[in-house]
Amino acid sequence: MCGIFAVVNDKNENAPQTVLDGLKKLEYRGYDSWGIAVRKLKTPIIEVEKHIGKIGEAKTSLPPSRVGLGHTRWATHGGVFDKNAHPHLDSKKQIAVVHNGIIENYLEIKEELIRKNHRFLSETDTEVVAHMIEETLKEKKDYSIGDFVAQVFAAFKRLTGSNAIGVLDSKTETIVACRNGSPLVVGVDERNHQLFLSSDIPALLKHTKKVYFLNDNEAAVLNKNLFQVYDLKKEKPKKIILETVNLKISDAEKEGYPHFLLKEIEEQKRTILKTIEKNQDRIREAAKFVKSRKIIFTGCGTAYHCALLGKYFFAKSGLAADAIQANEFSAFRYLIDDKTTVMAISQSGETADTLLAVKSAKKNKAKVLAVINSRGSTLERLSDFFIPIQTGPEIAVVSTKAFTSQLAVLYLLAKILVNKEKVALMKIRLLARKLSHWLDRGLKDQLINLAKKLLKEKHLYIIGKELNYPAALEFALKVKETAYTHAEAFASGELKHGVIALIEKGIPCFVLISKDEYENDLISAATEIKARNGTIFGVSPADAPVFDYHIPTPDVDELTIIPNIIVGQLLAYYLGVGKGADPDKPRNLAKSVTVK
Ligand code: F6R
């Protein structure tokens, strides 16, 4: 949530454009507003540009500069107005601050500063940081870099909550970044002596692959002569080793697709198998972490649906496991002990609720196994063991390829635990082969036509049973968030217990079916809906007379749920496009939910 990007010593003295380009790559983290602050070339003056709404094709009119700091916002404190867009300045306009997180004690700090005659221009929690630094620096007339750095550290240490900040000082042309709970990564372009700060890797790929992921309670000081990481608690410099990230620039580009979402849906032809091939040994290793232990899967949103499917996969292997939404985890924390393994599922590894769940599990001495996509994340560090699914950056806000890769990992893990690894691998390979033929122009045309038919519908229902029930939940979530259409998933067996009352003439009901022992149950449920004049859309390998419309999916045994879900992803995409929504950036959402 919220993206931070900065450059120091921009080689073309074009920091405004460099920061703008960086923010465009981070926009998936929040798109309520964006803003850039630069230090003018010859004078210690900060110039700022701010706009509400998405960056899109925005241009900047800021003057040439070597140092710039920018932000793309997902609003927490204060409405979506220019005045609340970051960066925020101190009264003298010498210090600019950008922030990702929530400063829980900002009101108390703000009141103190108001008593000292500071005037605030925004409703944000962030603005206090600029004024805190101004207040403590004002005693030092001619302050040095060291003074500035010390005051940023002092201000940051006073903040409570999960936060990451970037602070630009115009006098010393220095940027200080501090992290506690929200991600920050420094990029080092050694050849051109440029330094970058970013909330995530995709924005750095154009400049460098050499990075350092800041840990919690670490800070980085960046200026043209210096890159130093500090331990914030001890306020002492730290030796670090740069990592080289294994991604290509094209991984963060649309590569001819109209949207990242469509690209990422299609990539699933390759990513599922790639995840498994890259992680086979690690998944075997992970089996040791779960063997004979109490297993609890957790995650939020789509990641929770993956967790729930993990529970079903385990149950089908005869292994007991539970799945708890990370945002509801606290109610169950007393069930966690040193014999528990908590399996946390997260694309970003930064979801605040998932991190809180994991921290509380660790307090109770549980082991934590994480299945994540973004490398260097907080969850990766908190975990005792992790499986990096390595699907490449997932830029569309809604999760697709990360979800199916995580699902394949849980499937294989469940099978390894009961010595069925070979069969499972065979099925995953078969799935990849079948997806590569099935996910073609024909399927897309069918779903484009279907989306046209359904464009005006206010409600869609999706039913499933057993594995196809969590699959239906995920299908519905994709439609809700991408197309803003109300979509509700039900376990087919629940219909008669109440929800069948919702069925009226023509209401579209999707029925997700695999070729398994539940096929007939689902056909019966569809027949009951049809008897009440609902319109039935069958998503399944086999056609059935009850279907008004059939969307054929490949038969891959229990993995048929993956193509069944992909139908939901594609339908949601085309419905979203048809409604004029932005499928990559649905309203009110952000990719990485770093606030609870
Ligand atoms: C939905 C979606 C969200 C995320 C959820 C958790 O398409 O993407 O529901 O799954 O916010 O995010 P991660 O996986 O980053 O923990």
Side-chain angles (χ1 to χ4, degrees):
M1 242 157 208
C2 298
I4 290 175
F5 191 85
V7 60
V8 169
N9 208 29
D10 189 84
K11 68 172 187 246
N12 298 321
E13 300 188 339
N14 202 2
Q17 190 59 43
T18 305
V19 175
L20 182 68
D21 291 344
L23 293 181
K24 285 182 180 173
K25 290 270 178 253
L26 293 175
E27 205 185 9
Y28 63 88
R29 302 181 67 85
Y31 28 90
D32 287 330
S33 63
W34 61 276
I36 300 173
V38 295
R39 195 260 190 204
K40 283 181 92 173
L41 271 186
K42 298 211 169 79
T43 35
I45 288 175
I46 290 182
E47 294 232 356
V48 178
E49 179 174 1
K50 297 182 183 192
H51 300 277
I52 59 168
K54 293 175 183 161
I55 300 187
E57 298 307 312
K59 297 198 168 40
T60 169
S61 49
L62 285 167
S65 164
R66 278 186 297 265
V67 187
L69 176 67
H71 185 269
T72 171
R73 177 173 188 243
W74 188 86
T76 57
H77 293 68
V80 180
F81 305 118
D82 278 355
K83 66 173 182 181
N84 292 328
H86 301 210
H88 294 284
L89 303 184
D90 69 318
S91 325
K92 297 202 191 91
K93 301 191 172 27
Q94 280 184 349
I95 292 164
V97 178
V98 293
H99 164 227
N100 174 12
I102 289 184
I103 303 171
E104 287 168 358
N105 56 343
Y106 86 101
L107 276 177
E108 158 200 325
I109 300 172
K110 192 168 177 175
E111 277 159 20
E112 260 173 43
L113 289 162
I114 289 172
R115 284 198 290 278
K116 291 178 179 160
N117 297 322
H118 286 259
R119 271 192 57 235
F120 287 85
L121 305 178
S122 78
E123 298 149 352
T124 65
D125 49 349
T126 309
E127 198 182 359
V128 296
V129 180
H131 288 264
M132 284 163 91
I133 300 166
E134 174 189 8
E135 179 63 26
T136 47
L137 269 181
K138 80 178 178 201
E139 284 134 37
K140 303 189 187 273
K141 269 222 165 64
D142 201 19
Y143 63 84
S144 63
I145 292 184
D147 295 328
F148 168 63
V149 170
Q151 296 322 318
V152 177
F153 288 2
F156 188 72
K157 284 161 90 168
R158 182 145 179 226
L159 311 181
T160 58
S162 285
N163 295 294
I165 58 168
V167 187
L168 162 63
D169 173 46
S170 59
K171 179 168 180 284
T172 60
E173 294 183 64
T174 301
I175 288 179
V176 178
C178 304
R179 167 191 169 134
N180 184 18
S182 293
L184 278 178
V185 50
V186 177
V188 181
D189 170 6
E190 282 160 337
R191 201 158 52 101
N192 297 304
H193 306 288
Q194 301 180 112
L195 294 166
F196 303 88
L197 177 71
S198 179
S199 296
D200 202 356
I201 296 292
L204 295 173
L205 292 175
K206 186 173 156 192
H207 307 286
T208 181
K209 289 184 181 176
K210 289 239 180 280
V211 299
Y212 179 72
F213 293 98
L214 283 182
N215 291 297
D216 278 350
N217 295 308
E218 280 184 356
V221 177
L222 319 176
N223 79 13
K224 64 176 184 236
N225 305 313
L226 176 76
F227 164 41
Q228 181 66 62
V229 172
Y230 284 80
D231 177 323
L232 265 171
K233 285 197 176 139
K234 297 185 191 144
E235 296 198 9
K236 289 238 162 74
K238 266 180 98 159
K239 275 215 164 114
I240 56 143
I241 298 172
L242 295 180
E243 280 183 48
T244 305
V245 289
N246 184 17
L247 290 171
K248 306 186 292 294
I249 295 181
S250 60
D251 288 335
E253 301 290 340
K254 286 191 198 138
E255 293 185 300
Y257 285 89
H259 297 99
F260 281 108
L261 182 55
L262 188 58
K263 176 188 174 206
E264 289 161 12
I265 292 172
E266 277 213 46
E267 279 179 324
Q268 294 172 111
K269 289 176 183 174
R270 295 177 298 277
T271 46
I272 298 169
L273 185 58
K274 188 171 132 199
T275 294
I276 295 305
E277 286 176 345
K278 287 195 167 186
N279 283 293
Q280 223 170 305
D281 289 341
R282 284 188 86 82
I283 300 171
R284 284 190 200 121
E285 186 96 348
K288 294 183 195 147
F289 270 82
V290 291
K291 205 164 189 130
S292 317
R293 290 173 64 85
K294 184 156 71 183
I295 310 301
I296 297 188
F297 293 102
T298 194
C300 294
T302 287
Y304 169 68
H305 295 156
C306 184
L308 195 55
L309 278 161
K311 171 176 160 171
Y312 275 71
F313 284 145
F314 270 50
K316 284 171 79 72
S317 285
L319 305 164
D322 210 344
I324 300 172
Q325 276 171 332
N327 37 59
E328 284 295 318
F329 203 84
S330 60
F332 303 94
R333 65 183 183 275
Y334 302 113
L335 303 180
I336 315 283
D337 56 22
D338 60 352
K339 295 182 184 57
T340 310
T341 296
V342 169
M343 287 198 59
I345 318 298
S346 177
Q347 189 285 133
S348 62
E350 299 293 348
T351 300
D353 287 315
T354 308
L355 296 178
L356 281 173
V358 158
K359 283 179 190 161
S360 83
K362 281 183 80 98
K363 248 193 198 157
N364 288 2
K365 306 211 164 25
K367 288 258 181 283
V368 173
L369 200 160
V371 186
I372 34 191
N373 191 30
S374 289
R375 290 304 314 277
S377 66
T378 310
L379 182 57
E380 179 178 314
R381 284 149 221 254
L382 281 175
S383 63
D384 297 289
F385 190 79
F386 70 93
I387 299 171
I389 56 165
Q390 303 172 72
T391 63
E394 196 182 60
I395 310 254
V397 164
V398 306
S399 186
T400 52
K401 63 174 180 172
F403 167 76
T404 47
S405 280
Q406 286 165 325
L407 204 53
V409 167
L410 300 193
Y411 170 72
L412 183 59
L413 180 62
K415 296 293 180 183
I416 288 175
L417 285 163
V418 289
N419 301 320
K420 291 196 175 148
E421 180 177 352
K422 266 199 182 144
V423 188
L425 282 171
M426 222 177 63
K427 286 189 189 168
I428 292 169
R429 287 199 192 100
L430 181 69
L431 170 74
R433 272 203 307 281
K434 291 204 171 177
L435 285 185
S436 71
H437 299 300
W438 168 77
L439 221 172
D440 64 359
R441 192 65 261 166
L443 174 71
K444 287 195 221 158
D445 286 344
Q446 187 187 18
L447 290 169
I448 290 170
N449 288 331
L450 187 56
K452 281 184 192 151
K453 275 199 214 331
L454 296 174
L455 218 49
K456 295 235 155 59
E457 295 294 341
K458 295 242 175 328
H459 310 278
L460 302 183
Y461 297 122
I462 300 102
I463 62 167
K465 188 171 173 67
E466 217 238 13
L467 287 171
N468 272 302
Y469 168 55
L473 291 171
E474 178 54 15
F475 189 121
L477 179 58
K478 288 286 105 55
V479 172
K480 283 186 247 199
E481 59 188 352
T482 313
Y484 315 145
T485 300
H486 172 236
E488 205 65 53
F490 305 115
S492 60
E494 275 292 306
L495 279 175
K496 295 191 210 44
H497 301 286
V499 285
I500 201 157
L502 290 168
I503 305 301
E504 50 191 48
K505 190 168 180 330
I507 197 124
C509 296
F510 285 78
V511 188
L512 309 193
I513 306 180
S514 304
K515 276 188 169 249
D516 59 19
E517 57 193 295
Y518 308 103
E519 196 175 356
N520 288 337
D521 291 347
L522 280 157
I523 300 281
S524 300
T527 311
E528 285 159 16
I529 293 172
K530 184 115 183 219
R532 282 141 190 100
N533 297 317
T535 305
I536 306 296
F537 297 81
V539 181
S540 64
D543 201 351
V546 68
F547 298 162
D548 294 291
Y549 204 94
H550 179 219
I551 303 132
T553 50
D555 171 21
V556 215
D557 289 344
E558 58 267 64
L559 292 179
T560 305
I561 54 163
I562 291 185
N564 284 357
I565 290 168
I566 291 175
V567 169
Q569 296 172 346
L570 275 173
L571 178 68
Y573 171 75
Y574 290 121
L575 277 173
V577 171
K579 285 186 164 184
D582 180 345
D584 284 343
K585 302 182 195 89
R587 67 186 177 207
N588 306 332
L589 295 179
K591 184 76 183 155
S592 176
V593 186
T594 52
V595 294
K596 57 179 168 165

